[in-house]
Amino acid sequence: QVQLVESGGGLVQAGGSLRLSCAASGRTFSRNTMGWFRQAPGKEREFVAAVSLSGGRTYYTDSVKGRFTISRDNAKNTVYLQMNSLKPEDTAVYYCAGRREVDVTLSKVDYWGQGTQVTVSS
């Protein structure tokens, strides 16, 4: 079983940056596709980004391409989401997610974190 703990959320002005981190427990982190989802108030949870087992492949939803960067450090069992040029519409709870298979779209998730709030003011 893998447990995920997010950190790094907060309040930022539009145009600013935040870096989210997700620390994973367990010895199988490097065998999991990892990614991020988000859920805004009154909306469904949506896929944001994912990174392959080695970190060599990444996949993003269109609305964050060019602004967000996902990466992972398998030695530290951690996945990151660097968010630049933030917009008010990026405001949401951001969830770390993992899957025990190769799937850079994370069509199925095996593990969820508890979420971290990101608020972007205009």
Side-chain angles (χ1 to χ4, degrees), residues 48-66:
V48 175
V51 60
S52 63
L53 274 61
S54 68
R57 292 178 59 200
T58 56
Y59 189 77
Y60 300 92
T61 192
D62 286 346
S63 62
V64 308
K65 284 180 181 177

Side-chain angles (χ1 to χ4, degrees), residues 1-113:
Q1 186 72 10
V2 174
Q3 293 185 323
L4 306 174
V5 178
E6 301 99 332
S7 62
L11 173 64
V12 65
Q13 288 189 331
S17 298
L18 281 175
R19 188 194 197 202
L20 305 183
S21 298
C22 171
S25 66
R27 293 179 288 180
T28 62
F29 176 78
S30 63
R31 297 201 292 269
N32 287 267
T33 301
M34 299 299 299
W36 294 88
F37 286 71
R38 66 186 180 186
Q39 187 167 19
K43 295 187 177 181
E44 292 187 355
R45 191 173 298 188
E46 65 170 353
F47 171 83
V48 175
V51 60
S52 63
L53 274 61
S54 68
R57 292 178 59 200
T58 56
Y59 189 77
Y60 300 92
T61 192
D62 286 346
S63 62
V64 308
K65 284 180 181 177
R67 300 188 298 123
F68 291 11
T69 302
I70 188 170
S71 62
R72 66 190 295 164
D73 186 336
N74 286 342
K76 296 182 178 180
N77 278 15
T78 302
V79 61
Y80 305 97
L81 186 67
Q82 178 67 45
M83 304 184 295
N84 299 328
S85 302
L86 282 161
K87 305 175 180 180
E89 52 263 43
D90 294 317
T91 295
V93 177
Y94 282 71
Y95 297 90
C96 183
R99 183 174 182 182
R100 290 188 297 266
E101 297 179 13
V102 176
D103 176 15
V104 289
T105 64
L106 281 176
S107 58
K108 178 181 178 292
V109 174
D110 295 314
Y111 314 110
W112 290 102

